[in-house]
């Protein structure tokens, strides 16, 4: 069964304290891995798509990397405005024409000034 | 990218009644989806809204409970029928315009008393 597990469930950082969020996945074949940011009371906001092992994407203080079994979202020198829940989702090759996304439960990040 | 809006943003409903949620996309999308997100939980796909034909439902969701319409490429509705307190959740509309990138609306927060 296709599965996505994110860790930790919650992470508290001081402003400027770099860290990483983990997304491990089990899927027969990976079509794509997606990272979203979700603020309280809002819908998920698209951040990155990764397609193959070794691929990296960057956006401001965020950098996403992908291996054959997991993805990391690295946060460099975070600021309080980076506080949010970060969601990981995978799309399987055998997901059919609909290509449904399978989501993890997310990591809730809090950055204190 | 696609900008997705939903109406209503929130509602409080009585047990046994029905609520229709509207989803509007600012550009044509090939696929539209409806998700449910319960507190502290991951996103769960309810169904794929197909233009001009019956929606495709995921296991555990049925058309009588969650009828869906999609009259064109930019609009869809989800009805939550005969509501019970267990239906209290956030309902999210999502659209995909390219082969993989998927965008989300702000969500509709539903409380059933």
């Amino acid at each position: 069964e296709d599965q996505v597990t994110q860790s930790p469930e919650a992470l508290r950082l001081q402003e400027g304290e770099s860290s990483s969020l983990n997304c491990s996945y089990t899927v027969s074949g990976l079509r794509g891995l997606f990272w979203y940011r979700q603020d309280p009371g809002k819908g998920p906001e698209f951040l990155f798509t990764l397609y193959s092992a070794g691929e990296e994407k960057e956006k401001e203080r965020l950098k996403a990397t992908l291996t054959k079994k997991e993805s990391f979202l690295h946060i460099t020198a975070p600021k309080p405005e980076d506080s949010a829940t970060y969601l990981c989702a995978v799309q399987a090759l055998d997901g059919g024409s609909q290509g449904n996304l399978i989501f993890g439960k997310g990591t809730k990040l809090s950055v204190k000034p | 990218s696609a900008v997705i809006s939903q109406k209503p943003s929130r509602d409080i409903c009585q047990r046994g009644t029905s609520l229709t949620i509207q989803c509007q996309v600012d550009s044509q999308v090939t696929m539209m989806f409806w998700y449910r997100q319960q507190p502290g939980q991951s996103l769960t796909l309810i169904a794929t809204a197909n233009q001009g034909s019956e929606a495709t439902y995921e296991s555990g969701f049925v058309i009588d409970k969650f009828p869906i319409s999609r009259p064109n490429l930019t609009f869809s509705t989800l009805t939550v029928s005969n509501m019970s307190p267990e239906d209290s959740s956030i309902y999210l509309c999502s659209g995909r315009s390219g082969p993989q990138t998927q965008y989300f609306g702000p969500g509709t927060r539903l409380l059933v008393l």
Side-chain angles (χ1 to χ4, degrees):
Chain A
E1 181 182 348
D2 299 335
Q3 197 169 355
V4 177
T5 303
Q6 292 187 245
S7 62
E9 291 185 9
L11 182 62
R12 291 186 177 186
L13 299 174
Q14 287 296 126
E15 184 172 2
E17 179 187 3
S18 301
S19 187
S20 296
L21 312 182
N22 178 263
C23 171
S24 62
Y25 60 90
T26 305
V27 65
S28 54
L30 182 69
R31 181 180 292 181
L33 184 142
F34 305 81
W35 282 99
Y36 289 86
R37 168 189 172 133
Q38 187 173 25
D39 293 298
K42 296 187 177 181
E45 174 190 348
F46 172 75
L47 292 174
F48 304 110
T49 307
L50 301 167
Y51 297 105
S52 57
E55 188 174 1
E56 299 182 350
K57 294 273 181 75
E58 284 190 69
K59 180 181 180 180
E60 297 181 353
R61 295 176 293 282
L62 300 177
K63 178 180 177 180
T65 62
L66 180 64
T67 72
K68 288 186 178 180
K69 293 186 177 181
E70 58 190 350
S71 176
F72 292 94
L73 185 64
H74 307 277
I75 303 176
T76 303
K79 298 182 178 182
E81 52 262 41
D82 294 321
S83 298
T85 295
Y86 290 85
L87 299 170
C88 173
V90 299
Q91 187 180 45
L93 280 173
D94 61 357
S97 59
Q98 295 167 353
N100 298 336
L101 297 183
I102 303 163
F103 279 87
K105 291 187 176 181
T107 293
K108 185 175 181 180
L109 175 66
S110 299
V111 182
K112 302 299 182 183
Chain B
S1 64
V3 177
I4 301 176
S5 59
Q6 288 183 233
K7 289 194 293 187
S9 59
R10 61 179 65 237
D11 209 339
I12 301 173
C13 300
Q14 295 299 317
R15 181 194 300 258
T17 63
S18 297
L19 176 72
T20 295
I21 303 169
Q22 298 180 7
C23 175
Q24 180 73 54
V25 189
D26 70 341
S27 58
Q28 291 185 353
V29 290
T30 53
M31 305 191 76
M32 294 182 74
F33 306 90
W34 287 97
Y35 289 81
R36 184 170 71 182
Q37 186 177 30
Q38 296 181 311
Q41 298 299 312
S42 181
L43 276 70
T44 301
L45 181 64
I46 297 172
T48 302
N50 301 309
Q51 188 207 358
S53 64
E54 193 171 287
T56 304
Y57 290 85
E58 297 300 302
S59 175
F61 298 96
V62 295
I63 187 171
D64 290 344
K65 176 67 175 177
F66 298 101
I68 288 170
S69 77
R70 188 180 174 191
N72 56 51
L73 291 174
T74 63
F75 185 79
S76 177
T77 66
L78 168 75
T79 299
V80 186
S81 303
N82 188 25
M83 289 184 285
S84 67
E86 292 71 35
D87 294 319
S88 298
S89 188
I90 299 171
Y91 292 85
L92 292 157
C93 175
S94 178
R96 182 189 302 161
S97 56
Q100 274 114 0
T101 304
Q102 193 164 320
Y103 299 93
F104 287 83
T108 295
R109 282 141 198 81
L110 173 62
L111 176 63
V112 183
L113 302 177

